[in-house]
């Protein structure tokens, strides 16, 4: 159950950070922020940041058990 909660938190973290950094025109270096088109909206996303945020929040939730 913690993993499912962590995926949501990782997605929120990745979306917010990618929006802040990517809106300035930067790719974020290692974060590899790229623009995707979902339906007719431009969405900025970073897979490395999503995986790191998910892992971090999963670890914190496991420590709270």
């Amino acid at each position: 159950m913690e993993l499912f909660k962590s995926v949501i938190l990782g997605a929120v973290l990745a979306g917010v950070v990618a929006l802040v950094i990517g809106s300035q025109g930067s790719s974020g270096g290692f974060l590899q922020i790229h623009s995707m088109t979902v339906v007719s909206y431009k969405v900025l996303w970073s897979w490395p940041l999503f995986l790191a945020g998910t892992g971090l929040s999963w670890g914190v939730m496991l420590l709270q058990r």
Side-chain angles (χ1 to χ4, degrees):
M1 189 66 181
E2 286 88 7
L3 182 60
F4 296 118
K5 294 177 191 175
S6 300
V7 167
I8 294 169
L9 292 173
V12 169
L13 175 72
V16 169
V17 172
L19 179 66
V20 170
I21 295 175
S23 66
Q24 301 299 318
S26 175
S27 66
F30 177 72
L31 297 178
Q32 300 173 354
I33 296 172
H34 61 277
S35 176
M36 300 186 312
T37 303
V38 177
V39 183
S40 62
Y41 296 102
K42 179 182 170 186
V43 178
L44 295 167
W45 189 251
S46 170
W47 284 109
L49 186 58
F50 170 72
L51 294 175
T54 301
L56 180 66
S57 60
W58 190 30
V60 169
M61 286 186 194
L62 287 177
L63 285 174
Q64 291 179 350
R65 259 190 188 180

